[in-house]
Amino acid sequence: MAHARRVWQRITAARDAPLGLAAGLGLVAMSEVVAGTDEVDDPATGFLLGLCATLPLALIRTQPRVAALAITLANALTMAGGLRLTVAGVLAELIVGYSVARHGSRLAAALLLVPFVILAINLPGFLGIGLLALLTGAVLLGGFLRGSDEARARHGSSRAIADTLLEHAARGERARIARELHDVVAHHISLIAVQAETARLTTPGMPAEGQRRLAGIGDTARAALTEMRRLLGVLREDAGAEPDRSPQPGLEELNGLIDEARAAAGTSTRLIVRGRVGPLDPGVELAAFRIVQEALTNARRHAPGAAVDVELDYTRDALRLRVRDNGPGPPPGAAPDGGHGLLGMRERAATAGGTLTTGPGPHGGFLVDVVLPVTADQP
């Protein structure tokens, strides 16, 4: 079946397919008229109408309305004149009805039915009704397939737009992460350069080789900082805004973030802390802060009015972060990784070497569960 469909599509897509089809049906129509010459008084009129009902198919691609009008008039005159309707003419009528409904104007396809509605009402027998039913079926089939094509095109366009927006949002979030990591790493590299220079100048009795090596460390750190700023500084230019000189936020600012969320949502938002609290690596604190910020934003957007708990669990090896609400939770069948907000949180966790899982909470609502590793020298 699939092979036959491919063959048919290849044939109909050929450049001269309409001309060949018109010529073939024209020969069939002439043969039918010749075979029925004994039953009619004017075979010449039958020949003329038979050819007019088939040969205009050659124009189906370039002038579809002209072809449809000519074929419809020829068949209608044949029936109105009491002449024998050829099978070739009927096939041509069905083809133009289907083609106009599929590729042309819906109004033009509907107008093709009007002459046959009139003939079906005024002519006795089932010929007019049968032809009207066949033509109506061809028009409806063409219209249905046209609607399916348009629906697929709209779906493909909507999907492409959604993918583009998602990719754009993901690139923006990655750029933001890169800018913030640039600030964090630049801080550490600057400390390396300063400490190396301080050690070289303040350590009494240091051998010349040691001073040379410390000077090399400082020079290397400064060169790395310059190169990193050259490579990542373009992200600030792409953002189209002035650089933000304020320090990057950390977990000390969580209380202010919780207060803002509580004031914005008008519902309970709690911060629960467990374990021994201590300073963490700036990159880990920044990732945790941004994840909480995004999770609270998602909770306000998707579960308005729901209470939210933010839990920080400090252990020796990791910081476990949970943000959960008591809202309705994700709809059944929802993709667990949908939305650029979740994608951004997952990428932030990955930049700090951690993992993030999201989904329905154990008691309903939505849960964001993050594990961020803590280096061995942290408290």
Side-chain angles (χ1 to χ4, degrees), residues 30 46 283:
M30 292 176 65

Side-chain angles (χ1 to χ4, degrees), residues 21-96:
L21 182 60
L25 289 180
L27 290 175
V28 173
M30 292 176 65
S31 301
E32 292 184 64
V33 174
V34 169
T37 52
D38 296 337
E39 303 177 7
V40 296
D41 297 330
D42 188 6
T45 303
F47 275 114
L48 179 61
L49 291 175
L51 292 177
C52 289
T54 54
L55 293 184
L57 271 179
L59 304 175
I60 193 66
R61 287 183 179 171
T62 57
Q63 298 290 334
R65 294 184 181 181
V66 174
L69 179 61
I71 292 173
T72 300
L73 286 178
N75 283 320
L77 290 174
T78 300
M79 296 178 64
L83 300 176
R84 181 179 178 182
L85 195 63
T86 63
V87 174
V90 172
L91 289 177
E93 188 70 47
L94 297 179
I95 291 172
V96 295

Side-chain angles (χ1 to χ4, degrees), residues 3-350:
H3 177 70
R5 183 179 180 183
R6 287 194 296 270
V7 172
W8 172 252
Q9 290 175 343
R10 191 178 299 115
I11 292 174
T12 55
R15 180 179 179 181
D16 297 328
L19 182 60
L21 182 60
L25 289 180
L27 290 175
V28 173
M30 292 176 65
S31 301
E32 292 184 64
V33 174
V34 169
T37 52
D38 296 337
E39 303 177 7
V40 296
D41 297 330
D42 188 6
T45 303
F47 275 114
L48 179 61
L49 291 175
L51 292 177
C52 289
T54 54
L55 293 184
L57 271 179
L59 304 175
I60 193 66
R61 287 183 179 171
T62 57
Q63 298 290 334
R65 294 184 181 181
V66 174
L69 179 61
I71 292 173
T72 300
L73 286 178
N75 283 320
L77 290 174
T78 300
M79 296 178 64
L83 300 176
R84 181 179 178 182
L85 195 63
T86 63
V87 174
V90 172
L91 289 177
E93 188 70 47
L94 297 179
I95 291 172
V96 295
Y98 167 83
S99 180
V100 171
R102 177 79 184 271
H103 305 292
S105 168
R106 290 185 173 90
L107 177 60
L111 291 176
L112 292 180
L113 301 175
V114 174
F116 299 101
V117 171
I118 298 173
L119 291 171
I121 295 173
N122 293 292
L123 292 180
F126 294 98
L127 179 60
I129 297 176
L131 181 56
L132 177 61
L134 290 175
L135 183 57
T136 302
V139 170
L140 291 177
L141 176 62
F144 172 76
L145 294 178
R146 176 178 181 169
S148 299
D149 292 342
E150 292 175 349
R152 282 195 295 270
R154 286 194 299 269
H155 177 73
S157 177
S158 299
R159 184 65 181 269
I161 292 174
D163 291 344
T164 300
L165 292 176
L166 181 60
E167 180 61 26
H168 179 73
R171 285 200 302 267
E173 185 65 15
R174 293 189 191 107
R176 183 180 178 187
I177 293 172
R179 291 194 299 269
E180 293 175 347
L181 287 179
H182 166 265
D183 295 338
V184 173
V185 176
H187 171 72
H188 288 294
I189 294 179
S190 299
L191 285 179
I192 292 174
V194 171
Q195 290 175 357
E197 190 67 18
T198 301
R200 184 178 68 86
L201 296 175
T202 60
T203 302
M206 177 176 291
E209 180 65 17
Q211 293 186 5
R212 187 181 67 81
R213 291 184 180 275
L214 285 175
I217 292 174
D219 292 340
T220 301
R222 284 187 289 271
L225 184 60
T226 300
E227 189 66 22
M228 184 183 64
R229 283 173 174 164
R230 182 182 298 118
L231 292 175
L232 297 181
V234 69
L235 294 174
R236 296 189 184 276
E237 298 174 4
D238 291 343
E242 292 295 325
D244 185 5
R245 302 298 182 183
S246 61
Q248 296 297 342
L251 294 179
E252 293 182 356
E253 284 78 20
L254 268 187
N255 283 323
L257 183 63
I258 297 295
D259 291 339
E260 291 177 4
R262 187 181 299 117
T267 57
S268 172
T269 304
R270 300 187 302 174
L271 176 61
I272 303 171
V273 181
R274 300 186 181 92
R276 183 183 176 187
V277 179
L280 303 177
D281 183 87
V284 173
E285 291 206 11
L286 175 61
F289 180 89
R290 292 302 188 195
I291 289 172
V292 172
Q293 187 179 43
E294 182 64 33
L296 291 175
T297 301
N298 286 346
R300 288 198 302 269
R301 182 183 302 125
H302 300 293
V308 183
D309 285 347
V310 178
E311 300 181 12
L312 295 179
D313 189 0
Y314 287 83
T315 66
R316 182 170 182 81
D317 301 323
L319 170 67
R320 184 163 190 179
L321 168 65
R322 297 185 190 90
V323 182
R324 53 188 171 189
D325 61 66
N326 62 354
D337 297 329
H340 67 267
L342 298 183
L343 177 62
M345 288 192 287
R346 184 166 285 103
E347 291 185 346
R348 285 190 178 279

